[in-house]
């Protein structure tokens, strides 16, 4: 079960990266950050439970770095749209 969760977390992160590379999802889009948060959080938990401290650190920091764009209010463009 742990491996299935780890694969799911990795696939979520890879989906965000692939969408970005193909021009389907900009890195400033909230969905990009959301996918990174969810995928990295899953991998953090799996790594922590397995005692893989370096991997838990990497994914934990990845999760934290991806959070601020989701917490900050959406930025408005000069014409007043979100």
């Amino acid at each position: 079960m742990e491996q299935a969760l780890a694969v799911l977390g990795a696939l979520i992160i890879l989906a965000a990266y692939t969408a970005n590379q193909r021009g389907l999802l900009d890195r400033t889009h909230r969905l990009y950050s959301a996918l990174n948060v969810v995928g990295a959080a899953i991998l953090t938990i799996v790594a922590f439970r397995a005692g893989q401290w370096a991997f838990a650190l990497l994914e934990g920091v990845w999760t934290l770095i991806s959070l601020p764009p989701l917490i900050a209010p959406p930025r408005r463009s000069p014409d007043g749209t979100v």
Side-chain angles (χ1 to χ4, degrees), residues 32-38 40 61-71:
Y32 180 80
S33 292
L35 290 170
N36 274 292
V37 165
V38 170
V61 170
W62 190 312
T63 302
L64 294 174
I65 289 171
S66 298
L67 273 175
L70 295 176
I71 296 169

Side-chain angles (χ1 to χ4, degrees), residues 16-79:
Y17 180 73
T18 300
N20 176 260
Q21 290 298 305
R22 293 182 177 234
L24 303 172
L25 192 58
D26 187 81
R27 69 174 183 81
T28 60
H29 196 283
R30 292 171 81 89
L31 179 58
Y32 180 80
S33 292
L35 290 170
N36 274 292
V37 165
V38 170
I42 290 170
L43 290 172
T44 301
I45 293 166
V46 170
F48 183 79
R49 290 172 50 110
Q52 297 177 357
W53 308 120
F55 190 53
L57 174 65
L58 173 70
E59 292 303 326
V61 170
W62 190 312
T63 302
L64 294 174
I65 289 171
S66 298
L67 273 175
L70 295 176
I71 296 169
R75 291 184 289 168
R76 295 195 177 275
S77 64
D79 66 357

